[in-house]
């Protein structure tokens, strides 16, 4: 079938303004949007720039705004985004666009780094694994699925307008360790997120939960951190 | 997201109503005549129709406020937020439609 892909192009070396360009490609309904983007880049216009690495929904590098919703281009089938109309593809919002669909991810990674997304322990290291019951492991299972694609953070209206907000992903990253029974950095992480730009900025719009390509209940994780802060003592 | 947007809009609307309401009520101490004129204006059909909007705003804000409390403090609230939104819309319709019928027959029926 013939599909029209409408892409928001931006090249700061040519023009300060982003412009919409339409491309006609032939694609199967079961092809992915990423396949259509490849056809544009390989056959029609080699200057089109976007990130993708694994192309199978694992690396999280091709998050983009497709038909107004944040998705992974490699996990979105053409037939699911109404191919009878032009399919719009834009860079994710709230991060500086570098070129076409490529954004500067550094502010996003900075927020992630600031919540200490690593195991914090004290005392001597054990000579074997740090064991954990199945129930303790299940407590934070949902937030271990995160692939840092930024689909949640860049779907958040609070993040769009408030550049200081940690964003949903950083809170998911903190949640993964806060509720891990082996970790001892919980108080530090909760203190970081108790900041006025921390979890309290969340207004529960649920955009992040709907955007997550891994099906993480992001807003639920944020609410759990809020409740941990309220009831911790 | 749209329930969040509507919550902000109805909140600001109610704030401006309360602002006007405090002024008109306060006038009873400053000038009872001016108070009477203001209250007479409120009895006109135009204000009657605006009151429908006010009740819609208060009703939505109150019901969605309960939804937000549940999302914040009920463990399963975030999981069922969509169903809660449909609940808010359902209760809104059940309360609002009879009100509009009763209120507008009063306003225009005399």
């Amino acid at each position: 079938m013939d599909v029209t892909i409408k892409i928001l192009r931006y090249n700061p070396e040519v023009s300060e303004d982003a412009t919409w360009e339409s491309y006609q490609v032939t694609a199967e309904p079961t092809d992915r949007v990423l396949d259509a983007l490849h056809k544009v880049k390989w056959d029609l216009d080699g200057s089109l720039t976007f990130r993708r690495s694994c192309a199978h929904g694992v690396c999280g590098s091709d998050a983009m705004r497709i038909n107004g919703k944040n998705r992974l281009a490699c996990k979105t089938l053409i037939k699911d985004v109404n191919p009878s109309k032009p399919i719009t593809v834009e860079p994710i919002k709230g991060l500086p666009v570098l070129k076409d669909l490529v954004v500067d991810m550094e502010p996003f990674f900075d927020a992630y780094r600031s919540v200490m997304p690593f195991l914090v322990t004290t005392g001597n290291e054990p000579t074997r694994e740090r064991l954990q019951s199945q129930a303790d492991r299940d407590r934070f299972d949902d937030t271990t699925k995160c692939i840092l694609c930024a689909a949640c953070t860049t779907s958040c209206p609070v993040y769009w307008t408030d550049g200081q907000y940690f964003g949903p992903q950083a809170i998911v990253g903190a949640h993964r360790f806060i509720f891990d029974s082996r970790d001892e950095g919980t108080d530090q992480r909760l203190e970081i997120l108790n900041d006025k730009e921390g979890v309290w900025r969340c207004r529960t719009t649920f955009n992040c939960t709907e955007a997550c390509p891994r099906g993480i209940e992001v807003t639920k994780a944020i609410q759990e951190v809020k409740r941990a802060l309220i009831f911790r003592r | 997201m749209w329930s969040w947007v509507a919550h902000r809009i109805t909140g600001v609307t109610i704030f401006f109503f309360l602002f006007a309401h405090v002024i008109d009520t306060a006038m009873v101490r400053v000038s009872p005549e001016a108070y009477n004129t203001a209250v007479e204006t409120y009895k006109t059909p135009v204000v009657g129709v605006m009151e429908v909007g006010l009740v819609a705003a208060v009703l939505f804000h109150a019901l969605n406020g309960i939804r937000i409390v549940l999302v914040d403090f009920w463990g399963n609230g975030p999981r069922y937020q969509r169903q809660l939104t449909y609940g808010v819309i359902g209760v809104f319709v059940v309360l609002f439609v009879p009100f509009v019928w009763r209120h507008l027959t009063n306003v225009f029926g005399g």
Side-chain angles (χ1 to χ4, degrees):
Chain A
M1 69 189 296
D2 286 331
V3 181
T4 307
I5 306 274
K6 210 173 139 204
I7 305 171
L8 192 62
R9 302 290 307 268
Y10 169 70
N11 184 349
E13 289 173 10
V14 175
S15 165
E16 287 297 301
D17 301 316
T19 49
W20 288 100
E21 301 274 346
S22 290
Y23 302 91
Q24 306 278 343
V25 293
T26 311
E28 294 296 321
T30 49
D31 278 351
R32 304 156 307 163
V33 173
L34 182 66
D35 297 316
L37 289 173
H38 278 151
K39 281 189 177 140
V40 173
K41 185 172 174 68
W42 294 342
D43 302 338
L44 300 173
D45 185 346
S47 70
L48 177 68
T49 310
F50 54 88
R51 284 196 185 103
R52 71 102 174 81
S53 295
C54 77
H56 291 84
V58 179
C59 73
S61 58
D62 67 345
M64 45 190 82
R65 201 167 147 91
I66 300 165
N67 280 0
K69 283 191 174 147
N70 283 3
R71 308 163 196 259
L72 296 183
C74 57
K75 280 185 88 174
T76 308
L77 299 186
I78 297 277
K79 68 182 169 74
D80 294 333
V81 286
N82 190 14
S84 56
K85 286 188 189 159
I87 299 166
T88 64
V89 181
E90 304 160 69
I92 44 181
K93 284 175 77 169
L95 292 167
V97 182
L98 298 176
K99 185 171 185 255
D100 293 343
L101 303 174
V102 174
V103 298
D104 179 7
M105 298 283 278
E106 271 318 302
F108 169 80
F109 290 134
D110 282 342
Y112 181 52
R113 282 186 207 108
S114 63
V115 300
M116 309 196 299
F118 41 79
L119 191 76
V120 177
T121 56
T122 53
N124 293 331
E125 271 180 38
T127 50
R128 49 175 302 179
E129 305 93 324
R130 296 172 196 274
L131 292 179
Q132 181 171 50
S133 74
Q134 188 59 49
D136 282 346
R137 176 61 181 73
D138 291 343
R139 179 66 191 87
F140 60 93
D141 186 65
D142 202 35
T143 43
T144 62
K145 299 175 193 158
C146 180
I147 54 174
L148 284 91
C149 68
C152 59
T153 293
T154 58
S155 74
C156 175
V158 180
Y159 190 79
W160 294 339
T161 49
D162 179 358
Q164 299 302 112
Y165 176 42
F166 282 72
Q169 191 285 324
I171 302 169
V172 164
H175 179 284
R176 187 247 167 270
F177 288 98
I178 287 170
F179 294 97
D180 186 336
S181 60
R182 298 163 297 186
D183 185 84
E184 292 168 38
T186 296
D187 285 336
Q188 285 178 70
R189 281 193 204 89
L190 285 177
E191 220 36 71
I192 292 166
L193 291 175
N194 201 15
D195 188 86
K196 86 176 163 56
E197 302 293 351
V199 286
W200 307 113
R201 270 283 176 275
C202 169
R203 293 293 186 275
T204 61
T205 70
F206 287 94
N207 283 16
C208 50
T209 306
E210 277 164 36
C212 181
R214 306 282 296 170
I216 301 172
E217 293 176 282
V218 183
T219 315
K220 188 162 182 282
I222 299 174
Q223 296 296 79
E224 284 172 3
V225 174
K226 283 183 190 169
R227 248 176 274 138
L229 274 167
I230 295 172
F231 299 117
R232 67 176 153 164
R233 282 184 196 109
Chain B
M1 176 175 162
W2 295 112
S3 66
W4 168 74
V5 172
H7 201 77
R8 311 292 123 172
I9 292 170
T10 53
V12 173
T13 310
I14 295 165
F15 171 77
F16 281 114
F17 160 73
L18 285 176
F19 192 67
H21 186 55
V22 166
I23 290 176
D24 67 46
T25 313
M27 274 197 299
V28 83
R29 286 190 66 93
V30 183
S31 152
E33 294 78 30
Y35 176 82
N36 284 339
T37 326
V39 171
E40 275 312 308
T41 332
Y42 291 166
K43 289 177 184 163
T44 59
V46 178
V47 180
V49 172
M50 283 165 76
E51 282 169 341
V52 174
L54 178 66
V55 169
V58 170
L59 202 53
F60 177 82
H61 202 80
L63 294 170
N64 195 53
I66 295 170
R67 171 180 164 268
I68 291 171
V69 170
L70 288 172
V71 164
D72 281 342
F73 290 103
W74 174 42
N76 277 327
R79 184 167 292 164
Y80 296 114
Q81 63 96 7
R82 192 170 290 271
Q83 287 84 335
L84 288 170
T85 309
Y86 295 144
V88 166
I89 295 168
V91 177
F92 179 90
V93 170
V94 166
L95 294 176
F96 186 62
V97 171
F99 162 78
V100 171
W101 184 72
R102 170 109 179 101
H103 179 69
L104 290 185
T105 40
N106 276 345
V107 169
F108 293 105

